[in-house]
Amino acid sequence: MYPYEDDYYIYYQPTLMQSLKYSFSQINVAKILENTQKTLYTANQIIPIINQLRPVISNAKTAFRVAKAVKEI
């Protein structure tokens, strides 16, 4: 650790290896898997909705073009 001083306190800056060791000790594999499962579940619900809405949006654009052409006539 590398000490550095403030007005009243001496702080210790952890080394890179100490920081990495602390970071890896805080990893919870069960929580990571739980969050991954939630994300995949949400994606599996959203992707079919997007696939169903894509033609609706495309047809809406065409409908607006037709309405605009009819309006000009």
Side-chain angles (χ1 to χ4, degrees), residues 2 4 6-7 15 17-19 22 34 52:
Y2 302 109
Y4 61 94
D6 198 352
D7 292 335
T15 63
M17 292 306 291
Q18 289 171 333
S19 296
Y22 177 77
E34 181 183 345
Q52 290 175 359

Side-chain angles (χ1 to χ4, degrees), residues 10-45:
I10 297 176
Y11 296 97
Y12 289 93
Q13 182 75 25
T15 63
L16 177 63
M17 292 306 291
Q18 289 171 333
S19 296
L20 289 174
K21 182 179 176 185
Y22 177 77
S23 297
F24 285 126
S25 70
Q26 298 299 312
I27 293 176
N28 185 351
V29 176
K31 200 67 166 168
I32 291 172
L33 290 175
E34 181 183 345
N35 288 335
T36 303
Q37 185 178 13
K38 287 179 183 179
T39 303
L40 290 174
Y41 179 76
T42 303
N44 285 334
Q45 289 183 333

